[in-house]
Amino acid sequence: MIAVLPGDGIGPEVAREATQVLDLLGLPWEEHVFGAAAIRATGAPLPDETLEACRLAEAVLKAPVGDPEFDAAEIRPEQGMLRLRSELAVFANLRPAKDGEIDVLIVRELIGGLYYGARGVRDDGTVFDTCEYHPSQVERVARRAFELARDRRGHLTSVDKANVLDTSRLWRRVVNELAADYPGVEVEHMLVDNAAMQLHSHPTRFDVIVTENMFGDILSDLAAAVTGGLGLAPSASLGERPPGLFEPVHGSAPDIAGRGIANPTAMLLSTALMLEHGLGRPEDARRLREAVALGLEEAPTPDLGGTATTAGLGAAVRSHLT
Ligand code: NAD
Ligand code: IPM
Ligand code: MN
């Protein structure tokens, strides 16, 4: 069973296109409430039943969450998402960005760093978030990145801020220690500010990028921007064992929600990543990617300069799957 989390904003709109593809492929799925919708229904963004269903699922296919109504609230949709990632222990977040000659794979550490470190308020009113990494957290994600680089073009860029941060110096040391185990992979280290500039100006110089949680969040939106935009950017979050979590890089896009014009491509390509990495169906994944490419030529959505609706592009994709 595939657990589908339709999420908020454009989430349900793009999730509908993905579940129609699952139906076409004869794959069973079940929807569970999550995010702002779940806060409204149950008071919690990740209800126990949803978490349990995700744990038992073969894979989790998640649409974006987030709602301006809760931006300043005590209980927020995004908290459910951070908890889900950590409960499923999906430490390696693969964010591929491809367009023409550009073929970058960002491997973002997903369940450590600033997002999960100690936080609080001091007596004087100072608010703090801390960036923390244990060497084992760096090692497991770096190993995954080395393995992926070995199976691609053999080049790994480790991105950090080692000129300032102790966690970055730890990151660099662990990556250097692992390099001996992967003689076929050439490693370079790059500071994150320069990495942002290079991703913009020379994106073809990158193969695999491995980096900590917050840097990976920011660089992956940038990588999406240089390869056609957020509407096209999928991701796969993997741990040591299933279920993996598959979701677009983009958010719930409140500015266009409810208008039926969201680009479902990121969600459909996340579905392809799920077929490949989560369900062991590489042939279905290949067919879906091909159908998406053909669909995009015929029916591009407004973010790509076209006029197709979400449903229109979804239907074009499905027409190439049958
Ligand atoms: P966003 O990614 O939702 O939107 C950024 C811009 O990209 C907007 O102009 C939006 O219209 C456009 N866009 C994004 N996806 C698109 C698509 N599929 N088709 C066409 N246009 C698209 O980022 P934001 O506005 O900063 O965040 C909105 C909410 O989403 C926030 O609550 C945030 O926390 C949440 N969020 C959730 C996830 C997730 O669930 N994985 C990821 C990012 C942001
Ligand atoms: C993403 C999103 C999330 C993140 C937010 C919504 C918590 O921006 O998946 O890229 O920062 O991980
Ligand atoms: Mn992000």
Side-chain angles (χ1 to χ4, degrees), residues 66-206:
D67 188 312
E69 184 191 327
F70 294 103
D71 279 352
E74 188 83 13
I75 298 175
R76 296 182 300 282
E78 291 83 355
Q79 293 162 333
M81 161 164 172
L82 297 192
R83 170 138 186 258
L84 179 64
R85 289 171 175 173
S86 126
E87 294 279 355
L88 297 180
V90 286
F91 56 83
N93 180 216
L94 281 46
R95 296 191 157 187
K98 283 173 82 159
D99 186 30
E101 303 275 279
I102 308 172
D103 184 358
V104 188
L105 175 62
I106 295 180
V107 181
R108 169 192 180 193
E109 199 290 325
L110 198 62
I111 53 175
L114 265 177
Y115 283 57
Y116 292 90
R119 62 183 58 199
V121 189
R122 293 205 192 96
D123 290 343
D124 73 350
T126 306
V127 178
F128 62 95
D129 299 285
T130 55
C131 184
E132 304 180 15
Y133 271 107
H134 187 274
S136 61
Q137 286 178 294
V138 181
E139 179 176 344
R140 63 187 182 181
V141 71
R143 271 202 192 284
R144 195 60 67 89
F146 270 106
E147 285 159 12
L148 289 159
R150 188 180 56 195
D151 296 341
R152 288 170 48 106
R153 302 194 300 280
H155 192 266
L156 178 65
T157 306
S158 176
V159 170
D160 61 38
K161 188 73 183 174
N163 52 347
V164 177
L165 302 175
D166 281 333
T167 42
S168 282
R169 284 189 283 274
L170 164 71
W171 188 278
R172 217 173 251 225
R173 195 187 80 221
V174 172
V175 169
N176 280 335
E177 284 165 8
L178 289 182
D181 293 349
Y182 303 90
V185 178
E186 188 193 343
V187 185
E188 68 172 336
H189 300 278
M190 194 179 286
L191 298 173
V192 63
D193 42 358
N194 182 31
M197 193 274 285
Q198 301 277 343
L199 257 179
H200 172 268
S201 307
H202 301 285
T204 53
R205 73 181 297 301
F206 294 104

Side-chain angles (χ1 to χ4, degrees), residues 85 95 108 115 216-218 220-221 230 249-251:
R85 289 171 175 173
R95 296 191 157 187
R108 169 192 180 193
Y115 283 57
D217 176 45
I218 297 167
S220 57
D221 265 37
L230 273 176
V249 170
H250 65 72

Side-chain angles (χ1 to χ4, degrees), residues 13-24:
E13 301 170 36
V14 295
R16 198 171 305 127
E17 302 311 318
T19 52
Q20 289 186 67
V21 164
L22 298 181
D23 287 341
L24 210 55

